[in-house]
Amino acid sequence: MRGFGTTIFTEMTSLAVRTNAINLGQGFPDTDGPGQMLRAAVKAIQSGQNQYAPGAGTPDLRTAIARHQGDWYGLDYNPDTEVLVTAGATEAIAATLLGLCEPGDEVLCVEPYYDSYAAVIALAGAVRRPVTLRPPDYRLDTAALAASITPRTRVILINSPHNPTGAVFDREELTEVARLCVEHDLIAVTDEVYEHIVFHGEHVPLATLPGMRDRTVTISSAGKTFSATGWKVGWICASADLVAAVARVKQFLTFTNAAPFQPAVATALGLPRDYFAGLATSLRAKRDLLCQGLNAAGFDVHIPAGTYFVTADAAPLGGVDGVAFCRALPERAGVVAVPVGVFYDQEAHDVVPGASLVRFAFCKQDDVLHEAVRRLEKLRDGGPVVEPAPRRMPGAGGHPGSWAR
């Protein structure tokens, strides 16, 4: 499509392959998920469950999703009318915004943000209104959020735990978001794919707060929680009327997907709580390993409260332009990261916030992280990066028509 270019992830992954660098840029684990889930997938494949699944998702998966929401958060959803299975959270976001927004509607979103948000808002003909998170604490500026609401505002799009900053919005912040939604009759769309990867604080689903159950579209997926990003199994939970609006769009996107993986994800959602606690414990240790290494290499590190990403300021190492720094990093240190500045709305700022920040993923095996840390130590004595004149980078912070994924 005209105006839709290559994402930052494509560029940086290609750079990792070309330079044989360790790829800490793209957020995917390098280990498989729980054995029970994998065996269930094999069983489904071998027992003939390889044709189209129902458009809304298999009944066993929809039931498991509804049960998960009830067991973990006390939310009661009808699996037949209030749960929809999607091709990952990315399709869930796309179908939701395309289904709920009309041309000219405004969508408030917290920046920096996942790159598909801006693309889908543009495809819907809607207008994005960014509310900026700022280091070091990345607290949600609820006053700025309130000030951004206009008569054209239709949706508030919230991502917590937040990619790329690792912020986990607390109950006080989310209570104010809920109040604004109720007061202005807005729909909340919440991207909660990192719901079980929290190190500090707690994950509070917006739908659990007063007045929000029937005005919230909650999005999650199996990719992050069960280390199965390639399966692309996601879902939404919402009131029946909102699910119906999203389903009308979803049927013309993928219609259905991942038939043999759906019963496997249903199995995974029913795993004991020890699995989910172990996931967070394991990733917290990996976070600490990488953060310590980044600090030793000379970065100014922002410790994430959730997700499996850490943002670090490259300015102490001469990386005032994070894009140039990340392009040079594979040759200098044999490691790939992603510049955070591309996840901001560049047209909304004279100076892009986070221009010197870079994001690293720590959802990797320990020996990979140890080797990455060893390589990054080279930066201490390597001198500043020679930076070219900044140019616009494809990604979530460019022109509305510059993203694709």
Side-chain angles (χ1 to χ4, degrees):
M1 181 179 292
R2 183 179 178 183
F4 281 69
T6 302
T7 71
I8 184 63
F9 300 105
T10 298
E11 177 175 344
M12 289 299 151
T13 297
S14 297
L15 188 58
V17 172
R18 189 167 67 250
T19 60
N20 197 31
I22 295 174
N23 188 357
L24 301 187
Q26 196 167 7
F28 59 87
D30 59 359
T31 55
D32 290 327
Q36 299 97 312
M37 179 185 75
L38 301 178
R39 290 190 291 273
V42 172
K43 180 179 178 181
I45 291 169
Q46 293 179 337
S47 62
Q49 299 181 53
N50 300 300
Q51 308 310 320
Y52 294 129
T58 59
D60 56 348
L61 178 53
R62 285 184 278 118
T63 298
I65 292 166
R67 185 180 299 116
H68 177 272
Q69 292 296 98
D71 290 347
W72 282 88
Y73 310 121
L75 290 165
D76 182 19
Y77 289 106
N78 183 328
D80 295 326
T81 59
E82 296 183 315
V83 178
L84 177 67
V85 177
T86 60
T90 301
E91 188 199 33
I93 294 162
T96 298
L97 293 177
L98 290 168
L100 299 181
C101 294
E102 298 291 339
D105 285 347
E106 295 178 355
V107 178
L108 302 188
C109 47
V110 175
E111 67 169 358
Y113 39 69
Y114 178 52
D115 63 348
S116 78
Y117 295 175
V120 175
I121 292 168
L123 285 170
V127 179
R128 70 186 185 282
R129 299 294 186 200
V131 176
T132 306
L133 302 179
R134 301 183 185 278
D137 57 359
Y138 293 115
R139 292 295 301 272
L140 180 60
D141 188 341
T142 53
L145 189 70
S148 299
I149 296 173
T150 77
R152 296 292 300 175
T153 304
R154 170 69 169 161
V155 167
I156 294 180
L157 174 56
I158 292 288
N159 170 213
S160 179
H162 183 262
N163 174 21
T165 68
V168 176
F169 301 144
D170 63 25
R171 189 172 296 274
E172 180 182 355
E173 292 166 297
L174 293 172
T175 296
E176 180 62 12
V177 174
R179 185 190 69 78
L180 292 171
C181 287
V182 172
E183 178 181 338
H184 297 277
D185 192 24
L186 304 178
I187 296 171
V189 177
T190 64
D191 178 351
E192 302 181 18
V193 298
Y194 298 98
E195 60 185 302
H196 291 294
I197 306 176
V198 176
F199 314 122
H200 305 295
E202 63 173 333
H203 173 59
V204 180
L206 193 62
T208 62
L209 299 180
M212 293 307 296
R213 193 272 186 194
D214 291 333
R215 64 172 66 247
T216 301
V217 178
T218 301
I219 294 170
S220 195
S221 81
K224 313 303 182 184
T225 301
F226 303 116
S227 299
T229 58
W231 288 13
K232 298 300 290 180
V233 178
W235 54 82
I236 72 167
C237 297
S239 61
D241 58 330
L242 291 175
V243 166
V246 176
R248 284 194 289 271
V249 173
K250 186 260 190 297
Q251 66 183 331
F252 295 113
L253 294 177
T254 61
F255 179 66
T256 185
N257 72 293
F261 298 141
Q262 292 192 31
V265 173
T267 296
L269 284 167
L271 289 172
R273 285 181 177 251
D274 287 352
Y275 167 79
F276 300 90
L279 173 70
T281 298
S282 172
L283 285 168
R284 179 171 182 162
K286 294 176 185 295
R287 177 202 69 173
D288 293 346
L289 190 166
L290 182 58
C291 287
Q292 291 165 11
L294 292 171
N295 267 317
F299 291 91
D300 184 4
V301 179
H302 305 291
I303 306 297
T307 78
Y308 47 48
F309 302 110
V310 57
T311 59
D313 194 343
L317 294 164
V320 177
D321 176 2
V323 172
F325 183 88
C326 287
R327 285 189 174 131
L329 189 60
E331 294 290 348
R332 292 190 63 202
V335 176
V336 165
V338 169
V340 174
V342 303
F343 303 124
Y344 290 84
D345 188 333
Q346 296 181 10
E347 297 177 349
H349 304 281
D350 292 332
V351 177
V352 176
S356 61
L357 297 177
V358 296
R359 190 195 78 175
F360 296 87
F362 51 84
C363 50
K364 309 297 180 181
Q365 297 182 56
D366 287 355
D367 59 342
V368 174
L369 294 175
H370 280 295
E371 175 61 17
V373 166
R374 187 190 68 77
R375 295 183 183 189
L376 288 166
E377 290 175 353
K378 301 175 184 178
L379 296 173
R380 288 179 302 190
D381 303 317
V385 176
V386 178
E387 303 190 41
R391 67 178 180 87
R392 190 173 298 280
M393 167 71 80
H399 187 273
S402 68
W403 303 272
R405 193 167 188 179

